[in-house]
Amino acid sequence: MLSAGSLIWRRKRLSVADLESKDEATDGRARNVSCNSLVATFQPEWEAEYLEYCFQPSLLRAVLCMASIWFIYDISAVCFSCLPPTDGAGGNLSWLLVAHIPQTIVGAFLLGVSILVGRLSLRNALSRHYDLLCVCVILAAYTALIFPSLVLELRRARFQNPDQPHVHWSISNSPSSLLPIRICNDSDPIRSWSNSSDQSPVGCSNSLLSGSYFGTMLMGTLSPMIFRTSARAALAACLLLSLVLLAACVAAGTQPGAFGFPLAVQLATGALAAFFCHRGDRRARAEFTVDKGLRYAAEQNGNLLYTLIPRDVVAHCRASDGPGLVGRTLPHVTLMFCALERHAEMQAAFSERDFHLLNALFVEFDDAVRAHGMYKYQHVGEWYIVACPRAARPFDEEEQAAPYPALHELQMLALASSLQRLAAGHLFL
């Protein structure tokens, strides 16, 4: 028993802080060595942790908010406008409302998803299904953007614009053809060009395949790169967007020769986006593997440190500023110093067999210490030092404020008997 004992640790940056910051100090070398030595390749069982590691809700939320605001603004401008359509396609304001209904639905959908993304309770589910969520968002936004152009082509076929009497177009459903056929005749292309505006297509041009469509196509097929999805998700998005374009062109009666090239460009752009997504995913997995290896090394260093200094003391040292002594006076603790009688004899004629015997013995010592509720304070040289739990947690205010348990003395005596029996069993006494 020690009365009014004092336990003091000297806080040195090398012993407390450097074991964790050493990897950062040698970051360039560690990134090339620790990953190969500790974790060679990405393991399949890390997939869920990797998805959580790569999940970026702030980026997704920002993109969804901007897209939803744009869709809501666009439909609001149409709803609150008292002017008739000015795109030269015929029809009244109700046709414009029909054309923008998908934008209303998609805008509300994107706004709702952006709110859900910010919920911490859904983070795990969203990270696991991030690719599926991004594909749904891209598909919905692309459909909402291309639908007004499809409605515009249907209006041009249904209504004859009095301002362009020289242009005649229609969508024919011939019994001899399984698909609709778009027919358009422009007897005065120069007049059509001179009377065109930014809001109306020129003559017989197809608004589904216009220049603005290529902007929509690029935005849709390259979106997986912005969201940083997997290559599989990028390919799935590209195929779905191509099906939407194909369905819209067929519904508008567009001939295959007209939409074949844009469709091929869209597929090629989607394949390029998938390639960059695949390359980015490989780089992210490699960085995750290195990061996991470094964290594993830091954990092992911490475990080594905890064999020398109690966790409670290490935590207090980290909270302290600058080097110096970190200690606390304990009024009542129980310590035990143990040494093997044949230690000097074995040290003089040390062999591999003695090493394995000592290792096995001290492993049993450690198990016995834990079984009796004590703490192995240090094992230096021939001394094996055991402390009571109060000495192992000197900065635990609740532990130190409680009355000192008399049971610690009895447990320490029982532990001493157990250690003697273990040493005798290994023929050291």
Side-chain angles (χ1 to χ4, degrees), residues 84 89 111 126-127 138 140 178 231 233 237 260 285 304 312 330 332 334 372:
L111 185 60
L126 292 174
S127 63
I138 294 171
L178 298 176
R285 288 176 184 270
L304 177 62
D312 182 61
L330 303 180
H332 207 187
T334 303
H372 286 79

Side-chain angles (χ1 to χ4, degrees), residues 104-120:
T104 306
I105 298 174
V106 171
F109 166 71
L110 297 182
L111 185 60
V113 172
S114 66
I115 295 175
L116 293 178
V117 168
R119 300 289 297 272
L120 294 177

Side-chain angles (χ1 to χ4, degrees), residues 50-355:
Y50 168 72
L51 295 176
E52 175 70 18
Y53 173 83
C54 294
F55 184 57
Q56 297 180 336
S58 57
L59 173 63
L60 180 60
R61 195 175 185 183
V63 174
L64 293 178
C65 287
M66 289 189 294
S68 60
I69 291 174
W70 188 90
F71 281 130
I72 294 174
Y73 166 78
D74 193 37
I75 188 61
S76 299
V78 175
C79 291
F80 293 103
S81 177
C82 298
L83 299 176
T86 58
D87 51 15
N92 53 24
L93 187 61
S94 60
W95 279 89
L96 290 181
L97 296 178
V98 171
H100 289 81
I101 284 178
Q103 294 187 357
T104 306
I105 298 174
V106 171
F109 166 71
L110 297 182
L111 185 60
V113 172
S114 66
I115 295 175
L116 293 178
V117 168
R119 300 289 297 272
L120 294 177
S121 59
L122 299 177
R123 182 181 178 90
N124 291 335
L126 292 174
S127 63
R128 289 196 305 268
H129 304 287
Y130 178 74
D131 285 346
L132 177 61
L133 177 63
C134 290
V135 170
C136 293
V137 167
I138 294 171
L139 179 62
Y142 183 85
T143 304
L145 289 173
I146 203 174
F147 189 76
S149 298
L150 173 61
V151 175
L152 177 61
E153 288 301 310
L154 297 178
R155 288 168 54 206
R156 295 176 68 189
R158 182 180 179 87
F159 303 101
Q160 181 65 42
N161 187 5
D163 296 333
Q164 297 182 357
H166 57 284
V167 181
H168 301 275
W169 56 82
S170 64
I171 298 178
S172 174
N173 294 307
S174 175
S176 59
S177 177
L178 298 176
L179 302 176
I181 300 176
R182 181 176 183 270
I183 302 174
C184 181
N185 294 315
D186 187 357
S187 59
D188 193 355
I190 297 179
R191 180 182 175 183
S192 299
W193 182 266
S194 60
N195 294 336
S196 63
S197 63
D198 295 337
Q199 298 180 349
S200 63
V202 179
C204 291
S205 61
N206 193 332
S207 59
L208 286 171
L209 307 177
S210 62
S212 60
Y213 155 73
F214 279 96
T216 303
M217 177 197 70
L218 291 176
M219 182 183 66
T221 53
L222 297 179
S223 292
M225 296 175 55
I226 301 176
F227 290 118
R228 299 179 183 178
T229 65
S230 64
R232 183 179 303 178
L235 287 176
C238 174
L239 293 177
L240 290 174
L241 299 188
S242 300
L243 290 176
V244 171
L245 173 62
L246 179 62
C249 290
V250 170
T254 308
Q255 297 298 316
F259 65 78
F261 176 74
L263 187 63
V265 172
Q266 178 160 303
L267 290 173
T269 306
L272 183 64
F275 168 76
F276 282 106
C277 287
H278 174 68
R279 191 173 69 171
D281 184 64
R282 288 186 58 185
R283 182 167 56 249
R285 288 176 184 270
E287 292 176 355
F288 172 78
T289 303
V290 172
D291 180 73
K292 191 171 182 68
L294 293 176
R295 284 187 280 116
Y296 175 79
E299 181 181 356
Q300 296 302 310
N301 291 338
N303 293 335
L304 177 62
L305 179 62
Y306 298 144
T307 62
L308 303 175
I309 305 175
R311 291 177 181 266
D312 182 61
V313 177
V314 173
H316 190 79
C317 289
R318 289 171 180 164
S320 303
D321 296 330
L325 294 177
V326 176
R328 178 170 185 168
T329 300
L330 303 180
H332 207 187
V333 296
T334 303
L335 299 176
M336 179 172 64
F337 295 82
C338 308
L340 298 175
E341 291 184 356
R342 293 179 51 194
H343 186 276
E345 177 184 343
M346 294 185 62
Q347 187 174 13
F350 196 73
S351 64
E352 182 179 356
R353 176 179 175 275
D354 294 333
F355 173 82

Side-chain angles (χ1 to χ4, degrees), residues 2-19:
L2 297 180
S3 179
S6 178
L7 300 180
I8 299 179
W9 290 265
R10 177 172 296 276
R11 181 180 183 272
K12 295 183 178 179
R13 294 192 178 275
L14 182 60
S15 62
V16 177
D18 282 8
L19 284 177

Side-chain angles (χ1 to χ4, degrees), residues 373-410:
M374 296 292 109
Y375 172 76
K376 185 180 77 171
Y377 177 64
Q378 278 187 359
H379 182 195
V380 180
E382 60 179 316
W383 292 107
Y384 189 89
I385 308 173
V386 183
C388 65
R390 176 159 294 192
R393 295 190 291 272
F395 301 104
D396 189 338
E397 299 299 335
E398 183 178 355
E399 173 75 23
Q400 300 301 326
Y404 187 80
L407 184 62
H408 284 175
E409 303 172 18
L410 300 178

